[in-house]
């Protein structure tokens, strides 16, 4: 059978910034490779045309199985889109790549369009770290401002009850204003925290490939700094767990559950994060030895209709955090459940798909 003319692909290869190849499945050789592909993989053109396996030498080992599964999908469907994987060169930062692949010439040829998204990934990682720092700062403000403001409110109430002179009418008006302003400060801080989670729960899932263990460690590092009075542990048999999912929503879910564990665990208490694989999914369980959840509010925990219980240091809760977390988990096709005994602690478990 006469082979198709691939000159149009070569023309695209000369114009685009992406890497483009055409691969012959029968001979197991590249019949076309553009300059950008060679730059991305840092391979000599003569060498790659003689030995196609050279493209595999720098692919991270944990990504090779994933690429094999995507190749099987390519053979079955004739195309795969947005396949992410990574390259590791000696003494260089990891390269993050994404490619779209098509079958041509009745399944005899493969053409792939490869894009280097390393800069975008580094920007995403920065945003996640920035968000972690910002949320930690907001948690600190909530803790450090809410306590004194609530105390001031109680003192004002005491003063109001303790004075009855005729000239106290004006003072009482001022005190009332102070009370209102104090409550507004508390509400502003809580609303600011809630607004971001609500906005995220109404947006689409933007999937990228990332390491779950790495993201949890980033989140833990930030929270440990602000909560030195509690013990945090991460237990898992995995050294890494690379998935394709929404990294920002993943962070918000984990941060929300960890913040709750911190809020409802006394000083000196323990918080543990366990990560394990479960076939096409993975499960993260966050457990604490805190005050637990009262029986009467357990059925209402995820629907946003329950008034949040005060934390161990008097922190108020809107009661909407867990409902927001569940919405995020639902968006990502996951599940959440919990076990809790009042006075002994709580464990929340989240199951999410790897892809």
């Amino acid at each position: 059978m006469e082979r198709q003319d691939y000159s149009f692909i070569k023309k695209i290869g000369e114009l685009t910034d992406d890497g483009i190849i055409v691969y012959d499945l029968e001979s197991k050789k590249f019949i076309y490779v553009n300059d950008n592909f060679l730059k991305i993989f840092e391979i000599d053109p003569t060498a790659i045309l003689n030995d196609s396996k050279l493209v595999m030498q720098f692919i991270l080992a944990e990504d090779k199985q994933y690429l094999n599964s995507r190749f099987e999908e390519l053979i079955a469907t004739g195309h795969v889109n947005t396949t992410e994987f990574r390259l590791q060169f000696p003494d260089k930062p990891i390269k993050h790549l994404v490619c779209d692949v098509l079958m041509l010439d009745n399944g005899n040829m493969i053409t792939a369009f490869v894009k280097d998204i390393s800069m975008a990934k580094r920007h995403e990682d920065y945003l996640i770290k920035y968000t972690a720092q910002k949320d930690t700062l907001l948690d600190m403000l909530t803790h450090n401002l809410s306590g004194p403001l609530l105390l001031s409110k109680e003192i004002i109430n005491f003063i109001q009850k303790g004075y009855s002179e005729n000239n106290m009418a004006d003072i009482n008006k001022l005190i009332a204003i102070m009370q209102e302003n104090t409550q507004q400060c508390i509400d502003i801080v809580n609303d600011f925290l809630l607004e971001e989670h609500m906005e995220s729960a109404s947006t689409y899932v933007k999937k990228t490939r990332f390491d779950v263990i790495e993201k949890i460690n980033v989140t833990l590092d930030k929270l440990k700094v602000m909560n030195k009075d509690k013990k945090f542990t991460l237990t898992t048999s995995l050294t890494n767990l690379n998935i394709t999912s929404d990294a920002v929503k993943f962070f918000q879910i984990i941060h929300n559950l960890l913040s709750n564990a911190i809020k409802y665990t006394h000083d000196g208490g323990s918080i543990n994060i366990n990560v394990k694989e479960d076939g096409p999914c993975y499960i993260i369980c966050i457990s604490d030895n805190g005050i637990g959840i009262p029986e009467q509010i357990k059925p209402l925990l995820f629907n946003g209709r329950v008034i949040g219980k005060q934390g161990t240091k008097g922190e108020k809760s809107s009661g909407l955090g867990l409902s927001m977390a569940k919405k995020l988990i639902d968006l990502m096709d996951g599940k959440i459940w919990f076990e809790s005994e009042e006075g002994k602690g709580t464990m929340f478990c989240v199951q999410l798909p790897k892809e």
Side-chain angles (χ1 to χ4, degrees), residues 2-172:
E2 185 178 350
R3 288 293 172 88
Q4 296 178 6
D5 180 11
Y6 297 105
S7 58
F8 72 98
I9 295 180
K10 293 180 182 179
K11 289 181 180 178
I12 295 173
E14 292 169 0
L15 296 172
T16 184
D17 291 331
D18 298 341
I20 298 181
I21 61 96
V22 178
Y23 182 77
D24 187 331
L25 281 172
E26 187 175 320
S27 66
K28 297 183 179 179
K29 289 187 177 181
F30 292 103
I31 62 173
Y32 171 70
V33 180
N34 77 340
D35 289 339
N36 287 320
F37 185 90
L38 297 172
K39 290 177 183 177
I40 291 171
F41 281 80
E42 302 184 19
I43 297 176
D44 178 81
T46 304
I48 193 174
L49 291 174
N50 291 329
D51 185 4
S52 62
K53 293 181 180 179
L54 288 174
V55 298
M56 301 296 292
Q57 62 181 328
F58 296 119
I59 295 176
L60 265 66
E62 56 264 34
D63 285 349
K64 289 181 179 179
Q65 184 177 354
Y66 170 68
L67 290 178
N68 286 335
S69 68
R70 296 293 277 173
F71 181 78
E72 291 174 2
E73 183 180 342
L74 171 67
I75 299 300
T77 65
H79 64 89
V80 291
N81 298 322
T82 320
T83 299
E84 289 192 32
F85 60 101
R86 297 162 299 167
L87 304 179
Q88 177 67 78
F89 298 96
D91 303 319
K92 291 184 179 181
I94 289 176
K95 281 187 179 180
H96 292 263
L97 309 180
V98 62
C99 72
D100 298 324
V101 188
L102 300 170
M103 299 284 289
L104 299 175
D105 203 9
N106 295 320
N108 293 316
M109 296 287 183
I110 294 174
T111 183
F113 301 81
V114 182
K115 184 185 293 290
D116 187 342
I117 59 168
S118 301
M119 291 296 292
K121 291 292 290 187
R122 283 195 282 272
H123 180 65
E124 177 186 291
D125 289 343
Y126 167 78
L127 288 177
I128 292 173
K129 289 180 181 178
Y130 172 80
T131 303
Q133 291 172 332
K134 183 189 66 176
D135 279 8
T136 301
L137 176 61
L138 289 173
D139 283 349
M140 178 192 70
L141 289 173
T142 302
H143 172 70
N144 289 338
L145 287 179
S146 295
L149 290 174
L150 286 168
L151 180 60
S152 298
K153 188 177 180 181
E154 293 302 315
I155 292 173
I156 291 168
N157 287 336
F158 176 79
I159 293 174
Q160 284 180 310
K161 294 176 182 178
Y163 286 84
S164 59
E165 291 88 343
N166 293 331
N167 62 355
M168 287 299 296
D170 292 336
I171 294 177
N172 284 335

Side-chain angles (χ1 to χ4, degrees), residues 146 150 310-316:
S146 295
L150 286 168
Q310 280 196 347
T312 58
K313 296 181 179 179
E315 307 98 323
K316 278 192 174 181

Side-chain angles (χ1 to χ4, degrees), residues 96-286:
H96 292 263
L97 309 180
V98 62
C99 72
D100 298 324
V101 188
L102 300 170
M103 299 284 289
L104 299 175
D105 203 9
N106 295 320
N108 293 316
M109 296 287 183
I110 294 174
T111 183
F113 301 81
V114 182
K115 184 185 293 290
D116 187 342
I117 59 168
S118 301
M119 291 296 292
K121 291 292 290 187
R122 283 195 282 272
H123 180 65
E124 177 186 291
D125 289 343
Y126 167 78
L127 288 177
I128 292 173
K129 289 180 181 178
Y130 172 80
T131 303
Q133 291 172 332
K134 183 189 66 176
D135 279 8
T136 301
L137 176 61
L138 289 173
D139 283 349
M140 178 192 70
L141 289 173
T142 302
H143 172 70
N144 289 338
L145 287 179
S146 295
L149 290 174
L150 286 168
L151 180 60
S152 298
K153 188 177 180 181
E154 293 302 315
I155 292 173
I156 291 168
N157 287 336
F158 176 79
I159 293 174
Q160 284 180 310
K161 294 176 182 178
Y163 286 84
S164 59
E165 291 88 343
N166 293 331
N167 62 355
M168 287 299 296
D170 292 336
I171 294 177
N172 284 335
K173 288 180 182 179
L174 292 174
I175 290 175
I177 294 172
M178 291 174 64
Q179 283 180 304
E180 183 179 351
N181 288 341
T182 299
Q183 188 59 53
Q184 284 178 351
C185 289
I186 298 169
D187 292 342
I188 287 170
V189 173
N190 289 333
D191 289 346
F192 195 92
L193 285 169
L194 181 60
E195 183 179 346
E196 286 197 14
H197 292 289
M198 292 182 68
E199 182 179 349
S200 182
S202 64
T203 59
Y204 71 98
V205 174
K206 181 181 179 182
K207 290 189 175 183
T208 58
R209 195 154 174 81
F210 64 91
D211 185 345
V212 167
I213 307 298
E214 178 187 353
K215 298 306 179 193
I216 291 175
N217 276 319
V218 168
T219 307
L220 273 180
D221 287 344
K222 303 300 180 185
L223 291 173
K224 284 178 181 177
V225 172
M226 302 308 303
N227 298 277
K228 295 181 179 180
D229 52 359
K230 296 176 178 67
K231 180 182 178 182
F232 297 85
T233 56
L234 172 60
T235 58
T236 181
S237 61
L238 307 169
T239 54
N240 53 58
L241 178 57
N242 291 286
I243 64 158
T244 302
S245 189
D246 192 315
V248 174
K249 286 181 173 56
F250 173 82
F251 162 76
Q252 289 179 312
I253 293 165
I254 298 305
H255 187 271
N256 181 288
L257 295 177
L258 281 172
S259 294
N260 272 356
I262 291 167
K263 185 187 299 183
Y264 298 116
T265 301
H266 291 288
D267 290 357
S270 299
I271 297 166
N272 179 63
I273 305 95
N274 178 262
V275 184
K276 62 182 179 181
E277 291 183 288
D278 184 23
C281 301
Y282 64 100
I283 297 174
I284 300 173
C285 290
I286 297 175

